[in-house]
Amino acid sequence: MNQSDLQALRIPLLVLLAVLVAGALAIYFTAQLMTVERRQLVQQQTQLKQAQVRLQKSGDEKDIIVSYLDRFRQLERTGFIGEEQRINWLDGLRLANQQADLFGVDYQISTQKPYPFASEFNPGQLALNQSLMQLRFRLLHEGDLLRFFDALARQDAGVFTIDQCLLRRIDNHGVIRYQPNVNAECDLSWITVKAGAAAERKNP
Amino acid sequence: MDDKLLIGISAQGATVAHWRGRKIVECRTFTDHEAGQAGFKEHLARFPIVPVHIVVDAVEEDYRFETLPHASGSDRADMVNRKLKQHYRNTPYLSAWLLGRDSGKRRDDRYLFSALTNPELLGDWLQAVIACGLPVAGVYLLPMVTAGLLDKLDVKATNLLVVAQHAGGLRLTFFRDRQFRLSRLTRGDSGKAESGTRYFTDEISNTRLYLHALRTMTLDEPLTVALIDRGDALQEAAAGVARDNPSLECVRFGRRDLADRLGLDEALLEASPYAIYLHLLGLKEPHSNLAPASVTVGYKRYQARRGVYAGCGALAAAVVIWSGTNLYSAGMLRGDTDDAARRTAELSSRYLEITRQFPQAPTTADNLKKAVEIGQKLRETTHSPQKMIALVSRALEASPAIVVREFGWKYGTTEIETGVARTAAVADPAAQTVTITAGPGSSRKESALIDGEVRPFRGDYRSAINSINSFAGRLAGQPGVAEVRVVKLPLNVNPALSLSGNTLDNPEQSAGTADFKLLLVLKAGI
């Protein structure tokens, strides 16, 4: 094919090129459209399945609400569910110190963070958070440590776990009188749960 | 509509037929004079770019049957071109038609070489066609086109002579076994009836003699003459031929008969003797295209353009089908989505209706249940140092020489920090380790570090170490203990370290302290 042949075929080749480009664009866009529609269908079918399951389980849902609502309210009052109730914790510390006859408790509370062992409880849509509290106090003897934690738990100021403790004997040179004999340093985790709003159920 | 122009050229002029829809729709004749040429050009100018097929009826034609050694590819082309140039030096209008293989042992190739030996006959007409920008598809000799007539006439004869009166004379074309063998155009006119019959009889006899001379057929062999009588004026001639040559069978085809067999308008048959051949040319292109490449270049470009446009059309159709299928599928998917959305809305509406009868709750039932269960589980699984302190206290009761100065406890995924590198402790041969292996797992567990000393200590390291190991053994024997490790002993006998001290045995004088550290780990889940 020489130059003049190409010249003679210039317009048909341009038309062919235009058809190729237009065809490729048409196929691309319609394929994209189909992909989007397919994705939307999958999403909609998932929502449909969820709606079916939700409707089927609506009877169970009512039973659950009836049987768990009171205990949920109770946990809300103690401060385990909802926002942190740090004042309650400090009140609890103060009262536990009095009830265990300790010599005062120094505390330091860090910022709230996600609870690292939340996955052990399979929380679903719930968010578990923790605030670390470092305590320093003095004891008459080792048994006071356990009495103090029992007293703190009885205050119902929230849910806490003891992470670690260090007891160090104070050298009093053999003098026996009513005085602290053991230094204690303990780390606690105050754990709270945040639940979604009830509107979630109202707008499925 | 696959239009084309069919042009019959003879020494007397040109006949132009417009082919459309598998038939001739218009036929005009132009004489070989200035006026005729001008009319011809004017007529061609009316047409858009349509391919032109030309048939030439001329005395100046030549046919040769030859056999060549069998070859293929470029060898065959070179050999055939050499042969054509050898036979026809003065004309570009030549052709070679491969008829088949010879039946001999060598199986040579049989060729029909043909040529128009007077190219000037075509010159002016062809120039006019090219000047109009019309692509020339081919130039053929009239006898080659006549071969197509045999099927239409349906004459079953081994030796067949087709005879037709043309403007330039009588055309006699001989076929043996339906294959072209010879054709001649005689100058002259049939004239009046009496002399016309004689003229036909003479020319047929001459042709028979010529065939005999060429050894194509003998005079004794039967011959069928097909007389093309487009004007219905050769009844007497046909009868005369049959009468004068008893060995001949003469079959006359009148105008109506021809029109019926060819599917041709009788008026066209009347208008030009070439209408028959142009019609046959329109139906099927014969072999032996004489046109050189320089003449058909325009047609090749025309075909290439049409090919590209056809490709465009096919591509566009494929795109339309593909895109249409995609759009249809998208539409179906959209319909399914809408249907699913409608059903979801219905179910949600029913669900909302049901939930209106539920007690007011601050969150979903699932969250409600989970939050309560988590709170309960956290309280039930809370760990405190109580268990570890009780365990150590029990072991201490049987070890009065052991004094605990510091007690650390941890509940976590890792053990409590000992402050002593584990490798150093292990390297110390005096540091005996009592280990109870617990099951695998990375869950949280309780561990404790006991920092103490042996009292009283008077420098008897062996006794002190025995006391420590006994204490560690008692701890290890407690239920729930996974591991007890002595991480520090009063005396480090590691050969890599220097060692110094005093062996004085005086109860009043202190010999240092017998410090130790023990790591205690409980089994996970206890």
Side-chain angles (χ1 to χ4, degrees), chain B residues 257-271:
Chain B
D257 198 10
L258 286 169
D260 289 346
R261 287 172 184 271
L262 293 169
L264 201 57
D265 192 358
E266 285 188 48
L268 287 171
L269 284 172
E270 177 69 28

mmCIF file with all atom_site columns, all heavy atoms in Angstrom, chain B residues 257-271:
data_model
loop_
_atom_site.group_PDB
_atom_site.id
_atom_site.type_symbol
_atom_site.label_atom_id
_atom_site.label_alt_id
_atom_site.label_comp_id
_atom_site.label_asym_id
_atom_site.label_entity_id
_atom_site.label_seq_id
_atom_site.pdbx_PDB_ins_code
_atom_site.Cartn_x
_atom_site.Cartn_y
_atom_site.Cartn_z
_atom_site.occupancy
_atom_site.B_iso_or_equiv
_atom_site.pdbx_formal_charge
_atom_site.auth_seq_id
_atom_site.auth_comp_id
_atom_site.auth_asym_id
_atom_site.auth_atom_id
_atom_site.pdbx_PDB_model_num
ATOM 1   N N   . ASP B 1 257 ? -38.169 -16.147 -26.012 1.00 0.00 ? 257 ASP B N   1
ATOM 2   C CA  . ASP B 1 257 ? -37.470 -17.250 -25.354 1.00 0.00 ? 257 ASP B CA  1
ATOM 3   C C   . ASP B 1 257 ? -36.252 -16.738 -24.577 1.00 0.00 ? 257 ASP B C   1
ATOM 4   O O   . ASP B 1 257 ? -36.020 -17.093 -23.415 1.00 0.00 ? 257 ASP B O   1
ATOM 5   C CB  . ASP B 1 257 ? -37.030 -18.256 -26.439 1.00 0.00 ? 257 ASP B CB  1
ATOM 6   C CG  . ASP B 1 257 ? -36.698 -19.606 -25.818 1.00 0.00 ? 257 ASP B CG  1
ATOM 7   O OD1 . ASP B 1 257 ? -36.995 -19.783 -24.619 1.00 0.00 ? 257 ASP B OD1 1
ATOM 8   O OD2 . ASP B 1 257 ? -36.135 -20.458 -26.527 1.00 0.00 ? 257 ASP B OD2 1
ATOM 9   N N   . LEU B 1 258 ? -35.489 -15.862 -25.255 1.00 0.00 ? 258 LEU B N   1
ATOM 10  C CA  . LEU B 1 258 ? -34.294 -15.299 -24.611 1.00 0.00 ? 258 LEU B CA  1
ATOM 11  C C   . LEU B 1 258 ? -34.672 -14.475 -23.377 1.00 0.00 ? 258 LEU B C   1
ATOM 12  O O   . LEU B 1 258 ? -34.036 -14.560 -22.325 1.00 0.00 ? 258 LEU B O   1
ATOM 13  C CB  . LEU B 1 258 ? -33.521 -14.420 -25.602 1.00 0.00 ? 258 LEU B CB  1
ATOM 14  C CG  . LEU B 1 258 ? -32.740 -15.164 -26.681 1.00 0.00 ? 258 LEU B CG  1
ATOM 15  C CD1 . LEU B 1 258 ? -32.241 -14.192 -27.745 1.00 0.00 ? 258 LEU B CD1 1
ATOM 16  C CD2 . LEU B 1 258 ? -31.551 -15.916 -26.082 1.00 0.00 ? 258 LEU B CD2 1
ATOM 17  N N   . ALA B 1 259 ? -35.724 -13.674 -23.564 1.00 0.00 ? 259 ALA B N   1
ATOM 18  C CA  . ALA B 1 259 ? -36.151 -12.809 -22.449 1.00 0.00 ? 259 ALA B CA  1
ATOM 19  C C   . ALA B 1 259 ? -36.557 -13.656 -21.245 1.00 0.00 ? 259 ALA B C   1
ATOM 20  O O   . ALA B 1 259 ? -36.219 -13.341 -20.096 1.00 0.00 ? 259 ALA B O   1
ATOM 21  C CB  . ALA B 1 259 ? -37.304 -11.919 -22.892 1.00 0.00 ? 259 ALA B CB  1
ATOM 22  N N   . ASP B 1 260 ? -37.286 -14.761 -21.528 1.00 0.00 ? 260 ASP B N   1
ATOM 23  C CA  . ASP B 1 260 ? -37.736 -15.626 -20.435 1.00 0.00 ? 260 ASP B CA  1
ATOM 24  C C   . ASP B 1 260 ? -36.564 -16.327 -19.746 1.00 0.00 ? 260 ASP B C   1
ATOM 25  O O   . ASP B 1 260 ? -36.495 -16.406 -18.525 1.00 0.00 ? 260 ASP B O   1
ATOM 26  C CB  . ASP B 1 260 ? -38.703 -16.686 -20.978 1.00 0.00 ? 260 ASP B CB  1
ATOM 27  C CG  . ASP B 1 260 ? -40.029 -16.067 -21.373 1.00 0.00 ? 260 ASP B CG  1
ATOM 28  O OD1 . ASP B 1 260 ? -40.267 -14.899 -20.983 1.00 0.00 ? 260 ASP B OD1 1
ATOM 29  O OD2 . ASP B 1 260 ? -40.803 -16.716 -22.092 1.00 0.00 ? 260 ASP B OD2 1
ATOM 30  N N   . ARG B 1 261 ? -35.674 -16.870 -20.601 1.00 0.00 ? 261 ARG B N   1
ATOM 31  C CA  . ARG B 1 261 ? -34.567 -17.636 -20.031 1.00 0.00 ? 261 ARG B CA  1
ATOM 32  C C   . ARG B 1 261 ? -33.596 -16.736 -19.249 1.00 0.00 ? 261 ARG B C   1
ATOM 33  O O   . ARG B 1 261 ? -33.024 -17.161 -18.241 1.00 0.00 ? 261 ARG B O   1
ATOM 34  C CB  . ARG B 1 261 ? -33.790 -18.362 -21.133 1.00 0.00 ? 261 ARG B CB  1
ATOM 35  C CG  . ARG B 1 261 ? -34.539 -19.549 -21.697 1.00 0.00 ? 261 ARG B CG  1
ATOM 36  C CD  . ARG B 1 261 ? -33.818 -20.107 -22.907 1.00 0.00 ? 261 ARG B CD  1
ATOM 37  N NE  . ARG B 1 261 ? -34.569 -21.192 -23.520 1.00 0.00 ? 261 ARG B NE  1
ATOM 38  C CZ  . ARG B 1 261 ? -34.448 -22.469 -23.189 1.00 0.00 ? 261 ARG B CZ  1
ATOM 39  N NH1 . ARG B 1 261 ? -33.599 -22.826 -22.256 1.00 0.00 ? 261 ARG B NH1 1
ATOM 40  N NH2 . ARG B 1 261 ? -35.155 -23.397 -23.801 1.00 0.00 ? 261 ARG B NH2 1
ATOM 41  N N   . LEU B 1 262 ? -33.394 -15.520 -19.729 1.00 0.00 ? 262 LEU B N   1
ATOM 42  C CA  . LEU B 1 262 ? -32.419 -14.628 -19.081 1.00 0.00 ? 262 LEU B CA  1
ATOM 43  C C   . LEU B 1 262 ? -33.052 -13.724 -18.018 1.00 0.00 ? 262 LEU B C   1
ATOM 44  O O   . LEU B 1 262 ? -32.342 -13.109 -17.221 1.00 0.00 ? 262 LEU B O   1
ATOM 45  C CB  . LEU B 1 262 ? -31.731 -13.748 -20.128 1.00 0.00 ? 262 LEU B CB  1
ATOM 46  C CG  . LEU B 1 262 ? -30.825 -14.488 -21.114 1.00 0.00 ? 262 LEU B CG  1
ATOM 47  C CD1 . LEU B 1 262 ? -30.416 -13.575 -22.251 1.00 0.00 ? 262 LEU B CD1 1
ATOM 48  C CD2 . LEU B 1 262 ? -29.584 -15.010 -20.412 1.00 0.00 ? 262 LEU B CD2 1
ATOM 49  N N   . GLY B 1 263 ? -34.362 -13.625 -18.046 1.00 0.00 ? 263 GLY B N   1
ATOM 50  C CA  . GLY B 1 263 ? -35.016 -12.699 -17.120 1.00 0.00 ? 263 GLY B CA  1
ATOM 51  C C   . GLY B 1 263 ? -34.760 -11.267 -17.543 1.00 0.00 ? 263 GLY B C   1
ATOM 52  O O   . GLY B 1 263 ? -34.527 -10.391 -16.715 1.00 0.00 ? 263 GLY B O   1
ATOM 53  N N   . LEU B 1 264 ? -34.797 -11.059 -18.832 1.00 0.00 ? 264 LEU B N   1
ATOM 54  C CA  . LEU B 1 264 ? -34.423 -9.756  -19.409 1.00 0.00 ? 264 LEU B CA  1
ATOM 55  C C   . LEU B 1 264 ? -35.643 -9.157  -20.098 1.00 0.00 ? 264 LEU B C   1
ATOM 56  O O   . LEU B 1 264 ? -36.488 -9.877  -20.652 1.00 0.00 ? 264 LEU B O   1
ATOM 57  C CB  . LEU B 1 264 ? -33.294 -9.999  -20.417 1.00 0.00 ? 264 LEU B CB  1
ATOM 58  C CG  . LEU B 1 264 ? -32.389 -8.847  -20.795 1.00 0.00 ? 264 LEU B CG  1
ATOM 59  C CD1 . LEU B 1 264 ? -31.710 -8.240  -19.570 1.00 0.00 ? 264 LEU B CD1 1
ATOM 60  C CD2 . LEU B 1 264 ? -31.302 -9.355  -21.760 1.00 0.00 ? 264 LEU B CD2 1
ATOM 61  N N   . ASP B 1 265 ? -35.723 -7.830  -20.053 1.00 0.00 ? 265 ASP B N   1
ATOM 62  C CA  . ASP B 1 265 ? -36.827 -7.132  -20.717 1.00 0.00 ? 265 ASP B CA  1
ATOM 63  C C   . ASP B 1 265 ? -36.659 -7.247  -22.243 1.00 0.00 ? 265 ASP B C   1
ATOM 64  O O   . ASP B 1 265 ? -35.565 -7.066  -22.771 1.00 0.00 ? 265 ASP B O   1
ATOM 65  C CB  . ASP B 1 265 ? -36.798 -5.660  -20.273 1.00 0.00 ? 265 ASP B CB  1
ATOM 66  C CG  . ASP B 1 265 ? -38.077 -4.953  -20.675 1.00 0.00 ? 265 ASP B CG  1
ATOM 67  O OD1 . ASP B 1 265 ? -38.921 -5.602  -21.311 1.00 0.00 ? 265 ASP B OD1 1
ATOM 68  O OD2 . ASP B 1 265 ? -38.208 -3.760  -20.355 1.00 0.00 ? 265 ASP B OD2 1
ATOM 69  N N   . GLU B 1 266 ? -37.740 -7.550  -22.941 1.00 0.00 ? 266 GLU B N   1
ATOM 70  C CA  . GLU B 1 266 ? -37.656 -7.695  -24.412 1.00 0.00 ? 266 GLU B CA  1
ATOM 71  C C   . GLU B 1 266 ? -37.214 -6.394  -25.073 1.00 0.00 ? 266 GLU B C   1
ATOM 72  O O   . GLU B 1 266 ? -36.523 -6.399  -26.093 1.00 0.00 ? 266 GLU B O   1
ATOM 73  C CB  . GLU B 1 266 ? -39.018 -8.118  -24.972 1.00 0.00 ? 266 GLU B CB  1
ATOM 74  C CG  . GLU B 1 266 ? -39.320 -9.580  -24.709 1.00 0.00 ? 266 GLU B CG  1
ATOM 75  C CD  . GLU B 1 266 ? -40.579 -10.035 -25.432 1.00 0.00 ? 266 GLU B CD  1
ATOM 76  O OE1 . GLU B 1 266 ? -40.710 -9.748  -26.634 1.00 0.00 ? 266 GLU B OE1 1
ATOM 77  O OE2 . GLU B 1 266 ? -41.430 -10.675 -24.782 1.00 0.00 ? 266 GLU B OE2 1
ATOM 78  N N   . ALA B 1 267 ? -37.606 -5.283  -24.489 1.00 0.00 ? 267 ALA B N   1
ATOM 79  C CA  . ALA B 1 267 ? -37.227 -3.977  -25.058 1.00 0.00 ? 267 ALA B CA  1
ATOM 80  C C   . ALA B 1 267 ? -35.710 -3.804  -25.037 1.00 0.00 ? 267 ALA B C   1
ATOM 81  O O   . ALA B 1 267 ? -35.126 -3.206  -25.957 1.00 0.00 ? 267 ALA B O   1
ATOM 82  C CB  . ALA B 1 267 ? -37.893 -2.858  -24.271 1.00 0.00 ? 267 ALA B CB  1
ATOM 83  N N   . LEU B 1 268 ? -35.075 -4.324  -24.001 1.00 0.00 ? 268 LEU B N   1
ATOM 84  C CA  . LEU B 1 268 ? -33.620 -4.225  -23.915 1.00 0.00 ? 268 LEU B CA  1
ATOM 85  C C   . LEU B 1 268 ? -32.976 -5.083  -24.993 1.00 0.00 ? 268 LEU B C   1
ATOM 86  O O   . LEU B 1 268 ? -31.957 -4.699  -25.588 1.00 0.00 ? 268 LEU B O   1
ATOM 87  C CB  . LEU B 1 268 ? -33.131 -4.672  -22.530 1.00 0.00 ? 268 LEU B CB  1
ATOM 88  C CG  . LEU B 1 268 ? -33.411 -3.722  -21.369 1.00 0.00 ? 268 LEU B CG  1
ATOM 89  C CD1 . LEU B 1 268 ? -33.064 -4.381  -20.036 1.00 0.00 ? 268 LEU B CD1 1
ATOM 90  C CD2 . LEU B 1 268 ? -32.581 -2.442  -21.523 1.00 0.00 ? 268 LEU B CD2 1
ATOM 91  N N   . LEU B 1 269 ? -33.556 -6.237  -25.238 1.00 0.00 ? 269 LEU B N   1
ATOM 92  C CA  . LEU B 1 269 ? -33.027 -7.108  -26.295 1.00 0.00 ? 269 LEU B CA  1
ATOM 93  C C   . LEU B 1 269 ? -33.106 -6.408  -27.646 1.00 0.00 ? 269 LEU B C   1
ATOM 94  O O   . LEU B 1 269 ? -32.208 -6.510  -28.483 1.00 0.00 ? 269 LEU B O   1
ATOM 95  C CB  . LEU B 1 269 ? -33.819 -8.419  -26.348 1.00 0.00 ? 269 LEU B CB  1
ATOM 96  C CG  . LEU B 1 269 ? -33.518 -9.433  -25.244 1.00 0.00 ? 269 LEU B CG  1
ATOM 97  C CD1 . LEU B 1 269 ? -34.496 -10.592 -25.306 1.00 0.00 ? 269 LEU B CD1 1
ATOM 98  C CD2 . LEU B 1 269 ? -32.098 -9.952  -25.382 1.00 0.00 ? 269 LEU B CD2 1
ATOM 99  N N   . GLU B 1 270 ? -34.152 -5.668  -27.818 1.00 0.00 ? 270 GLU B N   1
ATOM 100 C CA  . GLU B 1 270 ? -34.358 -4.936  -29.074 1.00 0.00 ? 270 GLU B CA  1
ATOM 101 C C   . GLU B 1 270 ? -33.365 -3.780  -29.175 1.00 0.00 ? 270 GLU B C   1
ATOM 102 O O   . GLU B 1 270 ? -32.837 -3.486  -30.250 1.00 0.00 ? 270 GLU B O   1
ATOM 103 C CB  . GLU B 1 270 ? -35.803 -4.412  -29.097 1.00 0.00 ? 270 GLU B CB  1
ATOM 104 C CG  . GLU B 1 270 ? -36.159 -3.566  -30.298 1.00 0.00 ? 270 GLU B CG  1
ATOM 105 C CD  . GLU B 1 270 ? -36.200 -4.384  -31.575 1.00 0.00 ? 270 GLU B CD  1
ATOM 106 O OE1 . GLU B 1 270 ? -36.480 -5.606  -31.473 1.00 0.00 ? 270 GLU B OE1 1
ATOM 107 O OE2 . GLU B 1 270 ? -35.895 -3.830  -32.652 1.00 0.00 ? 270 GLU B OE2 1
ATOM 108 N N   . ALA B 1 271 ? -33.083 -3.138  -28.020 1.00 0.00 ? 271 ALA B N   1
ATOM 109 C CA  . ALA B 1 271 ? -32.267 -1.922  -28.026 1.00 0.00 ? 271 ALA B CA  1
ATOM 110 C C   . ALA B 1 271 ? -30.818 -2.197  -28.420 1.00 0.00 ? 271 ALA B C   1
ATOM 111 O O   . ALA B 1 271 ? -30.207 -1.409  -29.158 1.00 0.00 ? 271 ALA B O   1
ATOM 112 C CB  . ALA B 1 271 ? -32.314 -1.273  -26.642 1.00 0.00 ? 271 ALA B CB  1
#
